[in-house]
Amino acid sequence: MLGIRVAKRIRKDSEVDHGRQTLDEQHNNLAKACKNEEQKNKAIKLKTVGKQTVLGFKIKQDPFPGEAPIPHKRLQKFRRGEKYEVPKEARPDLKEAITFSEAMSELAQKQAARYDLLLPEDAGFLEGDEDEDTNTISQDDIAAAVDITSGSKYFNLHLSQFGPYRLDYSRTGRHLLVGGKKGHVACIDWQSKDLMCEMNVMETVNDVKWLHTEAMFAVAQKKWLYIYDSKGLELHCLKKFNDVLRMQFLPYHFLLATASATGFLQYLDVSVGREVKAICTKMGRLDVMCQNPYNAVIHLGHPNGTVSLWSPNQKEPLVKMLCHRGAVRSLTVDKTGTYMVTSGLDRKLKVYDIRAFKPLHSCFLPAGASCLSLSQRGLLSAATGDIVQVYQNILGSSPVFKPYMAHRLRGQIWGLAYCPFEDVLGIGHGEGFTSMIVPGAGEPNFDALDANPYRSSKQKQEWEVKALLEKVQPELIGLDPGQLSKVDQATFEQRHKRRVEELDEIQQSIQERTEREKELKVKSKEKKTLENKSTLDRFRK
């Protein structure tokens, strides 16, 4: 009985508690509903009072509305030539095309300037202690001061048996090609120190050059020009290209330009394997050659001290400049196509502005410079005998007499080349090859769509197909590539004048023909009348 009563009492207490809970829940729901209504009313009032706040929270106005301004200096860095004014006589569709292209060019310039912030890498530099010249710092000290990866970029290849050597780096800067005067040719992945191929052609080698990929390279041998693959297999023997001394490869045109001892400048289209042009320069032996990366014009140095500029479109030089009193020994052009540096037997080093074809300044080198090379950042390396001197800010308006760095080698220097995207200078000499560390020489940020040092095999295949589709025709090579996007107003007027003259000639010929036809008709009528007359008609009245 006690247990039953207790159970009943517990049941009653639980029912009372349940009733209290339901009442409390009802009060809470009512309170929440009231709060929601009050908030709604407040929100409505706030919306009516001002649009700057929503549900009691203030929204601050942007103190700098619109896009962030771009500094003018950064915009000028990505400038793509002068803005072209649309001629008034142009057709409407031409005006629309020109305005659209100008708008797209301006948009690309602004986007490139904004995305410049995403390029965090900076170029390095070499700085000495107080009252210390940087040209007295040795390569061993630099290699010991930098990290292990950078220090491994300084090395020597002792190849005294088949030297002296010429060299060439691939466009990505990862592969090295060396060629000895006595026939030794080798391809190296110089960063990993892997040997791709090595051979001896048993013939004199004058020059070596990579083609559009690391899978093919050209070797100018004693008699003919040969093409090899990266494993050393001979692909082609071009007998039309004989006695070749120097070579330059134009990557966007797929053209291999060669200068021979017989005075011929020849162009080979490596995409189709045929000779595009053969020009007889009539200036003797051609052993000084370089290309302008900006417009793909070939620069040739001659024994009479002149430098000539050539295009495959013309049989005569585009420009002929008298640069030295003696023979031209070496020349090079910077990547922007603005400056040209030459050295001659008069032991002078001259810097020219190609836009105006005028010298900026010159300096005297006691031993003269036999080889010249410009880096991506504008550092000039000059070889004088067995010493390499590197000059900084040489492309300015004032001459520089003090070298930035210097390095002595064991043998006579025959070739200089900067490695793209690396602070490395490759030197070919009589005792082999030397890789020299030059801080601040390479471009720290590369364009992966153009030349990617870390691309895979599939990316390389895709790039090659795209480059072939976008190949520039050799007919478009000229001094000013910006003229290709402009309208030649003089030619347009001449064409219009020629058409007017042709119309006048046609109208005149038509008039002469009609007059002649009228005369023939009159004569035919007179003839018919004479034929119809008889001998008795004269007696008729």
Side-chain angles (χ1 to χ4, degrees):
M1 292 294 293
L2 182 62
I4 296 171
R5 286 177 184 174
V6 172
K8 286 183 178 179
R9 191 177 294 170
I10 291 170
R11 192 178 298 165
K12 286 180 180 179
D13 294 338
S14 62
E15 289 177 357
V16 172
D17 293 337
H18 181 69
R20 287 177 183 173
Q21 287 178 359
T22 54
L23 289 172
D24 292 337
E25 289 177 357
Q26 290 177 0
H27 284 297
N28 291 331
N29 292 332
L30 287 172
K32 287 180 181 179
C34 292
K35 285 182 180 179
N36 290 333
E37 289 180 359
E38 288 178 1
Q39 287 179 355
K40 286 181 181 179
N41 293 330
K42 284 183 180 180
I44 293 168
K45 288 180 181 179
L46 291 171
K47 284 181 180 178
T48 56
V49 171
K51 297 180 180 179
Q52 301 298 325
T53 55
V54 179
L55 293 177
F57 297 99
K58 292 183 179 180
I59 298 177
K60 293 183 180 180
Q61 286 186 349
D62 188 2
F64 305 102
E67 295 181 347
I70 306 172
H72 181 70
K73 188 176 181 180
R74 194 184 300 170
L75 275 174
Q76 291 296 321
K77 179 182 176 183
F78 298 96
R79 190 177 179 183
R80 300 187 178 184
E82 298 289 339
K83 190 174 182 180
Y84 182 71
E85 296 182 359
V86 183
K88 296 180 180 179
E89 300 83 5
R91 296 177 295 178
D93 54 349
L94 180 60
K95 289 182 179 179
E96 291 179 2
I98 293 175
T99 52
F100 178 74
S101 64
E102 291 290 344
M104 294 300 294
S105 178
E106 186 177 358
L107 177 63
Q109 180 185 3
K110 289 182 179 179
Q111 287 181 346
R114 290 187 186 279
Y115 296 152
D116 192 35
L117 295 172
L118 301 177
L119 303 176
E121 300 294 335
D122 295 328
F125 59 92
L126 183 64
E127 186 177 358
D129 295 333
E130 188 176 357
D131 297 333
E132 183 184 11
D133 291 336
T134 55
N135 58 2
T136 60
I137 301 174
S138 65
Q139 286 292 306
D140 294 328
D141 295 339
I142 295 174
V146 298
D147 57 280
I148 297 175
T149 305
S150 300
S152 64
K153 296 176 182 177
Y154 168 62
F155 61 92
N156 292 285
L157 298 178
H158 299 286
L159 306 168
S160 59
Q161 188 176 0
F162 302 104
Y165 280 82
R166 295 200 179 273
L167 71 147
D168 185 39
Y169 285 100
S170 61
R171 292 189 66 228
T172 58
R174 190 167 183 86
H175 298 85
L176 171 67
L177 177 65
V178 294
K181 187 74 174 177
K182 297 177 183 177
H184 180 227
V185 179
C187 301
I188 309 165
D189 187 346
W190 69 271
Q191 292 185 357
S192 62
K193 308 299 187 295
D194 291 335
L195 182 63
M196 299 169 62
C197 77
E198 186 179 15
M199 60 182 175
N200 197 315
V201 297
M202 306 300 292
E203 201 176 12
T204 303
V205 172
N206 295 320
D207 201 2
V208 290
K209 208 72 183 175
W210 286 110
L211 299 184
H212 55 286
T213 62
E214 297 85 5
M216 298 171 63
F217 61 90
V219 179
Q221 296 178 201
K222 181 179 180 180
K223 197 171 183 181
W224 296 314
L225 177 66
Y226 291 83
I227 307 294
Y228 298 93
D229 68 352
S230 59
K231 295 182 180 179
L233 296 176
E234 181 183 327
L235 300 178
H236 302 286
C237 175
L238 304 170
K239 296 185 178 180
K240 285 187 177 180
F241 295 76
N242 58 329
D243 299 328
V244 175
L245 298 178
R246 295 290 178 272
M247 295 185 294
Q248 289 291 327
F249 184 71
L250 310 179
Y252 301 105
H253 303 76
F254 283 77
L255 291 178
L256 179 66
T258 63
S260 66
T262 56
F264 274 86
L265 175 64
Q266 295 172 278
Y267 290 86
L268 172 69
D269 191 341
V270 299
S271 62
V272 295
R274 65 179 179 85
E275 184 184 19
V276 174
K277 192 73 174 180
I279 304 171
C280 182
T281 60
K282 301 176 184 178
M283 295 183 182
R285 182 183 175 90
L286 302 177
D287 57 350
V288 179
M289 182 184 190
C290 79
Q291 66 163 309
N292 189 337
Y294 175 67
N295 53 18
V297 172
I298 296 297
H299 294 228
L300 296 176
H302 305 288
N304 57 0
T306 60
V307 173
S308 57
L309 280 62
W310 296 86
S311 168
N313 305 323
Q314 297 185 13
K315 293 184 178 180
E316 298 295 329
L318 302 174
V319 177
K320 213 171 180 182
M321 303 169 58
L322 180 61
C323 298
H324 294 275
R325 293 183 178 180
V328 179
R329 297 185 68 186
S330 181
L331 57 91
T332 181
V333 183
D334 72 324
K335 67 175 184 177
T336 62
T338 307
Y339 302 102
M340 178 181 69
V341 186
T342 63
S343 64
L345 284 178
D346 55 358
R347 295 183 290 179
K348 283 189 177 181
L349 184 72
K350 294 186 178 182
V351 180
Y352 285 85
D353 189 346
I354 305 179
R355 297 169 296 183
F357 303 107
K358 292 182 179 179
L360 293 178
H361 55 81
S362 65
C363 60
F364 181 79
L365 298 178
S370 58
C371 297
L372 298 175
S373 181
L374 274 170
S375 73
Q376 293 176 325
R377 302 286 296 181
L379 296 182
L380 175 69
S381 62
T384 57
D386 60 345
I387 299 175
V388 175
Q389 293 179 339
V390 180
Y391 294 89
Q392 200 174 23
N393 302 323
I394 193 70
L395 302 179
S397 58
S398 59
V400 178
F401 300 100
K402 193 174 182 181
Y404 170 60
M405 293 181 67
H407 185 60
R408 183 182 288 274
L409 301 159
R410 293 184 179 180
Q412 186 80 12
I413 298 172
W414 274 61
L416 292 175
Y418 280 98
C419 181
F421 314 114
E422 294 285 350
D423 293 342
V424 170
L425 172 64
I427 308 166
H429 49 86
E431 296 295 323
F433 171 81
T434 299
S435 178
M436 177 181 171
I437 300 175
V438 183
E443 180 65 38
N445 301 294
F446 59 86
D447 186 0
L449 297 177
D450 185 29
N452 186 4
Y454 308 104
R455 63 190 178 188
S456 61
S457 58
K458 186 176 181 181
Q459 288 176 334
K460 184 166 62 176
Q461 292 174 0
E462 292 177 354
W463 173 86
E464 187 173 359
V465 172
K466 185 179 178 183
L468 283 169
L469 292 173
E470 296 177 351
K471 185 182 78 168
V472 184
Q473 297 300 320
E475 292 81 11
L476 303 179
I477 296 177
L479 285 176
D480 187 8
Q483 293 289 338
L484 299 175
S485 60
K486 297 180 181 179
V487 178
D488 193 351
Q489 192 66 25
T491 307
F492 177 76
E493 292 176 356
Q494 291 174 1
R495 194 182 302 127
H496 178 70
K497 186 177 179 181
R498 195 183 306 116
R499 287 179 179 177
V500 172
E501 291 176 355
E502 289 176 356
L503 286 173
D504 293 339
E505 290 178 358
I506 292 170
Q507 290 177 356
Q508 187 176 358
S509 63
I510 290 171
Q511 289 179 359
E512 291 177 355
R513 190 183 300 168
T514 52
E515 290 177 358
R516 196 179 302 111
E517 289 177 355
K518 286 181 180 179
E519 290 178 358
L520 290 173
K521 285 181 180 180
V522 171
K523 287 182 180 180
S524 62
K525 285 181 180 180
E526 290 177 354
K527 191 175 181 180
K528 285 181 180 180
T529 54
L530 290 172
E531 288 177 355
N532 293 330
K533 286 183 180 182
S534 62
T535 54
L536 299 175
D537 289 339
R538 57 184 178 178
F539 297 105
R540 292 177 184 177
K541 292 182 180 180

